[in-house]
Amino acid sequence: ITKKVTFVFRYFPLYQIHDKAYLSAYAAEAAGIQGKFWEMTDLLFNNQQIWSTSNDPKNFFLNYAEELKLDINRFKKDFDSTEVKNRISVDLREAEQMGVSSTPTFFLNGQKVDVNSYDEFKVKLKSL
C-alpha cells in the first residue's frame, strides 16, 4: 500500500491583528492563479516588515508580481476580483467553524493536531 499525504493550504488571514492580512491573502491567491502561489507567499513572508507598515502595500505586491514575471494586468484584475475575495472569505469561515484560532494549524484526517515542529508533524504522519 502506498501512503500518500495531500497538503491543502487554506487562508486564515489574521485580520484582528494585521490590518493588511486580507490584502496579502489576495496577492497570494492572485499569484496562485498564475501558478506562483508559493513564490509569492515566500516574498510576502520574507518582506512582511516592509510592506505591512506601508499605507499602500499593493505597490509592493505589484513589484513582487513583476519580480515573479506574472502578467501584471491579470494580477491586478485577479487581486481585485470577487472570485479571489470569495475564496479567502470561504476559507476563513470554514476555519472559524473548525475552531481554528491561529496559524499555522494542522489537521490530519480531519482531526486537528497540535505540533510544535516539523519533526513532531512527521511523527504524527508515521503513526497513520
Side-chain angles (χ1 to χ4, degrees), residues 41-97:
T41 58
D42 286 345
L43 287 170
L44 293 170
F45 281 114
N46 292 337
N47 297 293
Q48 185 173 359
Q49 292 193 352
I50 298 167
W51 60 261
S52 66
T53 58
S54 169
N55 289 330
D56 189 11
K58 192 172 178 182
N59 281 331
F60 288 95
F61 303 155
L62 290 171
N63 288 336
Y64 302 153
E66 286 178 1
E67 184 177 328
L68 296 173
K69 299 184 180 4
L70 299 179
D71 175 329
I72 298 302
N73 289 328
R74 182 169 180 200
F75 178 83
K76 288 179 187 176
K77 179 179 165 268
D78 290 336
F79 183 95
D80 292 323
S81 73
T82 301
E83 176 187 343
V84 163
K85 291 175 180 165
N86 284 346
R87 166 72 197 275
I88 308 309
S89 294
V90 166
D91 280 2
L92 177 62
R93 276 195 309 277
E94 287 178 358
E96 289 172 337
Q97 290 170 353

Side-chain angles (χ1 to χ4, degrees), residues 85-126:
K85 291 175 180 165
N86 284 346
R87 166 72 197 275
I88 308 309
S89 294
V90 166
D91 280 2
L92 177 62
R93 276 195 309 277
E94 287 178 358
E96 289 172 337
Q97 290 170 353
M98 295 172 78
V100 173
S101 60
S102 63
T103 63
T105 300
F106 296 97
F107 289 81
L108 286 172
N109 292 335
Q111 298 297 313
K112 185 176 174 185
V113 293
D114 293 317
V115 293
N116 294 310
S117 70
Y118 178 66
D119 288 332
E120 283 183 35
F121 193 75
K122 287 192 303 187
V123 169
K124 296 269 187 190
L125 283 174
K126 287 180 183 178

